[in-house]
């Protein structure tokens, strides 16, 4: 019997075994874990926790919200970010509250359709000052 006789029909490939879903979460780097354990990291996590308690900055939806790290690039010379994000996340104080629909899941969500979102609501960095003021008011630092 030849080797060809033991093969299947031409053009038909044997089924490949499908890999199951990965259940292991990505672990944090040692650098990230050390930062989150530091006093500065704890303060940043506390700030983002307060941002999540605010209503959505775009549509006004009720809390809880997601803390969205702003990504739109400001015009040259504008100083709206604490640290300008270059290819990564913005500083935790440059986060704004967005509901799930406006942030990730909706038909005009920021991460799904950024251009449509910006046309509808404006650049995301425009919401930073009002978010900082709302968090400061929440802490009792300023009164309105």
């Amino acid at each position: 019997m030849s080797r060809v006789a033991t093969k299947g029909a031409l053009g038909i490939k044997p089924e490949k075994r499908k890999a199951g879903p990965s259940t292991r979460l990505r672990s944090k780097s040692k650098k990230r874990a050390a930062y989150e354990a530091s006093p500065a990291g704890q303060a940043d996590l506390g700030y983002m926790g307060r941002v999540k308690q605010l209503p959505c900055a775009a549509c006004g939806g009720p809390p809880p919200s997601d803390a969205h790290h702003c990504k739109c690039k400001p015009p040259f010379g504008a100083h709206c970010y604490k640290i300008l994000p270059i290819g990564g996340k913005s500083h935790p104080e440059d986060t704004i509250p967005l509901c799930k629909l406006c942030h990730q899941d909706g038909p005009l969500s920021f991460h799904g359709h950024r251009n449509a979102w910006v046309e509808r609501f404006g650049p995301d960095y425009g919401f930073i000052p009002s978010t900082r003021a709302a968090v400061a008011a929440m802490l009792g630092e300023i009164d309105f």
Side-chain angles (χ1 to χ4, degrees), residues 114-138:
R114 183 182 298 192
N115 293 336
W117 193 93
V118 170
E119 282 181 22
R120 186 171 184 191
F121 300 112
D124 57 358
Y125 58 79
F127 296 103
I128 292 174
S130 60
T131 300
R132 287 181 183 164
V135 170
M138 185 185 295

Side-chain angles (χ1 to χ4, degrees), residues 50-124:
R50 290 180 194 89
V51 168
K52 291 178 182 182
Q53 295 173 3
L54 297 172
C56 179
C59 70
S65 300
D66 291 344
H68 166 70
H69 290 267
C70 294
K71 303 209 180 308
C72 292
K73 291 188 172 130
F76 184 74
H79 300 287
C80 52
Y81 288 112
K82 185 168 183 174
I83 298 173
L84 185 65
I86 301 175
K89 286 184 177 179
S90 60
H91 191 271
E93 288 186 21
D94 295 332
T95 56
I96 61 172
L98 292 179
C99 65
K100 290 283 185 193
L101 292 176
C102 292
H103 190 218
Q104 293 176 336
D105 297 337
L108 293 176
S109 63
F110 184 87
H111 290 292
H113 308 281
R114 183 182 298 192
N115 293 336
W117 193 93
V118 170
E119 282 181 22
R120 186 171 184 191
F121 300 112
D124 57 358

Side-chain angles (χ1 to χ4, degrees), residues 32-49 91-92:
R32 167 72 58 190
Y35 172 73
E36 288 179 357
S38 72
Q42 290 295 313
D44 290 343
L45 289 174
Y47 181 86
M48 288 194 299
H91 191 271

